[in-house]
Amino acid sequence: MSFLSFPAISPHRPVSSGASFRPRSSSPRLFKSCVKCSYAEAPIDIVADIKSERVVVLGGNGFVGSAICKAAITNGIEVVSVSRSGRPNFQDSWLDQVTWVTGDVFYLNWDEVLLGATSVVSTIGGFGNEEQMKRINGEANVIAVNAAKDFGIPKFVLISVHDYNLPPFVLSTGYFTGKRNAEAELLSKYPNSGAVLRPGFIYGKRKVNGFEIPLDLVGEPLDKIYGAAERFIRPLRSLPASDLLLAPPVNVDDLALAVINAVKDDDFFGIFTIEQIKEAAAKMRAFTY
């Protein structure tokens, strides 16, 4: 996931910083049924634990995607992960609760992948030459959005990237053109239920080929420094490209919780900034614990 972004171009209004984030119950819904037994004088109440949501995470074995899968499982959501390499190569207890699908979004059998899904979350993105960046950041996500819409999936969440106040000639490159097209397509097809999350630098413990990269050793101290100096930093963000240095980092677990908020809350839609992502995560965490 890149830590660069671009301005929103959707005609739909972004969610304001005063938006209400109202997480619904983070526990699976419980349904009671009454069963009559021939040897019992009174009915027996049986409580069935039925998950109320099923989310398909595109790129679910990556740094951000795996955090989202884990947060979803923790919050009682059934998870299907789709990625070109399938199941991650590390071990953790929650991995066995995810359905891991190996596939490429350009060649997926969407009818099978989306069966029973209530939402789709895309973490797809990357770098390369101009055409590659347009394809992976733009075309892949556009295909996913349209497939979900055609199948009747009610909610779509896109992990995008922060707007760094970059000049127009940078924003016209394949990376940003692709991202811009994906955001516009999502907000066009899902004007009242699509969510675009725009984090900056994402930190946490990233696992790559069996090795752990402790991005939190850099990101966590920076996050605290930016938080403490926010009122001094904010006026400087009007300077071109200033956010390359001044945008606060985002904890990958906070980003994942904000996604869970988007999946569970029908009022969570539009474009969400770094501050709004953190606000949603804090409200979700407070509600859960």
Side-chain angles (χ1 to χ4, degrees), residues 155-206:
K155 184 178 286 288
F156 199 108
V157 182
L158 174 67
I159 306 300
S160 190
V161 280
H162 176 63
D163 176 4
Y164 282 86
N165 297 328
L166 293 171
F169 74 88
V170 178
L171 297 176
S172 64
T173 60
Y175 179 86
F176 294 103
T177 301
K179 288 288 188 180
R180 183 179 296 115
N181 290 340
E183 289 194 1
E185 188 72 11
L186 170 60
L187 296 176
S188 172
K189 295 297 175 61
Y190 288 89
N192 299 312
S193 60
V196 174
L197 274 59
R198 291 180 157 191
F201 170 63
I202 303 169
Y203 68 90
K205 296 189 184 300
R206 183 168 192 167

Side-chain angles (χ1 to χ4, degrees), residues 102-126:
T102 302
D104 188 313
V105 294
F106 290 101
Y107 311 106
L108 275 181
N109 184 338
W110 289 101
D111 288 349
E112 293 182 0
V113 171
L114 297 177
L115 185 64
T118 56
S119 59
V120 174
V121 178
S122 177
T123 68
I124 298 173

Side-chain angles (χ1 to χ4, degrees), residues 23-223:
R24 298 184 303 192
S25 174
S26 60
S27 303
R29 293 174 186 168
L30 301 179
F31 298 89
K32 278 193 174 184
S33 61
C34 187
V35 179
K36 270 284 190 179
C37 298
S38 59
Y39 55 83
E41 295 182 356
I44 300 174
D45 286 335
I46 297 176
V47 178
D49 187 353
I50 302 176
K51 290 181 172 61
S52 57
E53 287 102 6
R54 177 183 174 96
V55 60
V56 174
V57 181
L58 305 178
N61 69 349
F63 176 45
V64 174
S66 59
I68 293 171
C69 289
K70 182 179 180 180
I73 291 295
T74 302
N75 283 274
I77 300 173
E78 187 176 353
V79 179
V80 176
S81 166
V82 180
S83 60
R84 288 183 295 179
S85 52
R87 183 182 174 120
N89 56 8
F90 61 88
Q91 298 298 320
D92 213 326
S93 58
W94 62 268
L95 294 174
D96 293 332
Q97 301 180 58
V98 176
T99 300
W100 302 98
V101 176
T102 302
D104 188 313
V105 294
F106 290 101
Y107 311 106
L108 275 181
N109 184 338
W110 289 101
D111 288 349
E112 293 182 0
V113 171
L114 297 177
L115 185 64
T118 56
S119 59
V120 174
V121 178
S122 177
T123 68
I124 298 173
F127 288 98
N129 60 40
E130 284 290 295
E131 291 306 313
Q132 289 172 335
M133 290 189 291
K134 288 179 181 178
R135 182 172 171 82
I136 191 171
N137 295 296
E139 294 175 23
N141 283 308
V142 168
I143 286 174
V145 167
N146 282 284
K149 184 66 176 179
D150 291 343
F151 198 82
I153 306 300
K155 184 178 286 288
F156 199 108
V157 182
L158 174 67
I159 306 300
S160 190
V161 280
H162 176 63
D163 176 4
Y164 282 86
N165 297 328
L166 293 171
F169 74 88
V170 178
L171 297 176
S172 64
T173 60
Y175 179 86
F176 294 103
T177 301
K179 288 288 188 180
R180 183 179 296 115
N181 290 340
E183 289 194 1
E185 188 72 11
L186 170 60
L187 296 176
S188 172
K189 295 297 175 61
Y190 288 89
N192 299 312
S193 60
V196 174
L197 274 59
R198 291 180 157 191
F201 170 63
I202 303 169
Y203 68 90
K205 296 189 184 300
R206 183 168 192 167
K207 297 179 181 179
V208 179
N209 296 325
F211 295 95
E212 188 172 84
I213 303 175
L215 297 176
D216 53 328
L217 293 182
V218 176
E220 189 170 353
L222 284 177
D223 200 1

Side-chain angles (χ1 to χ4, degrees), residues 17 162-167 198 200-201 222-250 273-276 278:
S17 58
H162 176 63
D163 176 4
Y164 282 86
N165 297 328
L166 293 171
R198 291 180 157 191
F201 170 63
L222 284 177
D223 200 1
K224 293 180 179 179
I225 291 172
Y226 282 109
E230 171 64 22
R231 65 173 182 162
F232 301 105
I233 292 175
R234 186 176 293 275
L236 300 176
R237 289 182 179 159
S238 60
L239 300 175
S242 60
D243 270 0
L244 287 173
L245 296 174
L246 300 179
V250 176
T273 65
I274 293 174
E275 290 78 9
Q276 291 167 337
K278 292 185 175 185

